[in-house]
Amino acid sequence: QQPVQSPQAVILREGEDAVINCSSSKALYSVHWYRQKHGEAPVFLMILLKGGEQKGHEKISASFNEKKQQSSLYLTASQLSYSGTYFCGTPPVGFGNEKLTFGTGTRLTIIP
Amino acid sequence: GAVVSQHPSWVICKSGTSVKIECRSLDFQATTMFWYRQFPKQSLMLMATSNEGSKATYEQGVEKDKFLINHASLTLSTLTVTSAHPEDSSFYICSARGNSGPSYEQYFGPGTRLTVT
């Protein structure tokens, strides 16, 4: 079953913060985050492999709550380039190198 | 970083014809490649897992006789849409993962937009 992301869409002004949530009805073993711009392929952001793990790169970070079967992506001081649709992806079993089931997606629009 | 290419970038074909899409890993060997389909404003839906040297594994509801997958080498997987119909029009994306090292990342190709008229 597909992970559910919230919100479905959000519009922010440049410099504002955003949080995107990914919730699964099944146990999560790892969570992948990708960003896709219109008409392009998804671009990898990060992988969280263990419950309780938090990771970040520049102004984008993520957390993984294994018990709650959810992950959150945090975008701080958003830039225009952050616009796009964000997807979480989860493998069915095992580690993060198996096939992925992608979440419902969150469309983020950053305006000047 | 690892690069995955797809060819063609877009294709328009007539209903009833077959279309082949290639997915290549350019600077690494990929024992496993994945094929996804994405309709406008929707998420990526996994169609099948392509394994080098063996038969592909199809997801539930995907017709294996319609979507033929061949993974002939460690750098090439092909998806052939046979007897295409307008409802097959979609964005097809492949991804690949390496066969060594600790990387769990999937590398996506740029996608192929198929339009069936």
Side-chain angles (χ1 to χ4, degrees):
Chain A
Q1 196 167 7
Q2 190 176 32
V4 177
Q5 291 182 231
S6 62
Q8 287 186 323
V10 58
I11 300 174
L12 297 175
R13 290 198 177 277
E14 199 173 3
E16 293 183 330
D17 300 339
V19 180
I20 299 171
N21 299 304
C22 172
S23 295
S24 174
S25 59
K26 298 181 178 181
L28 292 177
Y29 297 93
S30 66
V31 180
H32 300 222
W33 284 98
Y34 289 83
R35 176 173 59 214
Q36 184 181 31
K37 293 189 180 285
H38 181 69
E40 300 179 9
V43 173
F44 171 77
L45 294 177
M46 61 186 77
I47 294 175
L48 298 149
L49 296 175
K50 294 182 293 185
E53 184 174 20
Q54 297 181 45
K55 185 178 286 189
H57 179 67
E58 297 183 344
K59 294 182 179 179
I60 298 176
S61 61
S63 63
F64 177 20
N65 189 322
E66 192 176 19
K67 289 183 179 179
K68 291 186 177 180
Q69 298 176 181
Q70 67 182 35
S71 176
S72 297
L73 185 72
Y74 308 92
L75 299 100
T76 305
S78 56
Q79 306 168 16
L80 294 175
S81 61
Y82 287 1
S83 291
T85 301
Y86 290 78
F87 293 101
C88 62
T90 64
V93 292
F95 298 108
N97 56 349
E98 298 293 336
K99 63 181 182 180
L100 296 177
T101 299
F102 282 89
T104 50
T106 296
R107 182 174 298 176
L108 175 65
T109 304
I110 308 297
I111 58 176
Chain B
V3 178
V4 175
S5 70
Q6 278 185 244
H7 179 82
S9 298
W10 58 269
V11 57
I12 301 173
C13 69
K14 291 186 181 296
S15 186
T17 61
S18 296
V19 173
K20 179 183 285 188
I21 302 170
E22 293 186 349
C23 176
R24 292 181 185 273
S25 54
L26 298 185
D27 50 3
F28 68 104
Q29 294 183 326
T31 54
T32 303
M33 291 183 173
F34 303 95
W35 286 97
Y36 295 86
R37 180 168 52 183
Q38 186 177 35
F39 293 106
K41 297 185 179 181
Q42 293 188 21
S43 186
L44 290 84
M45 300 303 294
L46 179 66
M47 298 175 66
T49 302
S50 173
N51 300 297
E52 187 269 335
S54 64
K55 291 184 178 181
T57 304
Y58 291 82
E59 295 300 301
Q60 194 171 9
V62 177
E63 300 174 58
K64 61 180 181 181
D65 294 331
K66 180 171 183 60
F67 299 99
L68 302 179
I69 292 173
N70 183 273
H71 196 146
S73 74
L74 286 172
T75 60
L76 173 64
S77 175
T78 60
L79 168 69
T80 301
V81 183
T82 62
S83 187
H85 288 94
E87 57 265 30
D88 298 323
S89 298
S90 186
F91 193 47
Y92 291 86
I93 309 174
C94 70
S95 70
R97 64 175 181 88
N99 63 340
S100 63
S103 173
Y104 301 105
E105 179 180 344
Q106 284 192 27
Y107 306 100
F108 282 85
T112 297
R113 188 162 302 281
L114 170 64
T115 303
V116 185
T117 61

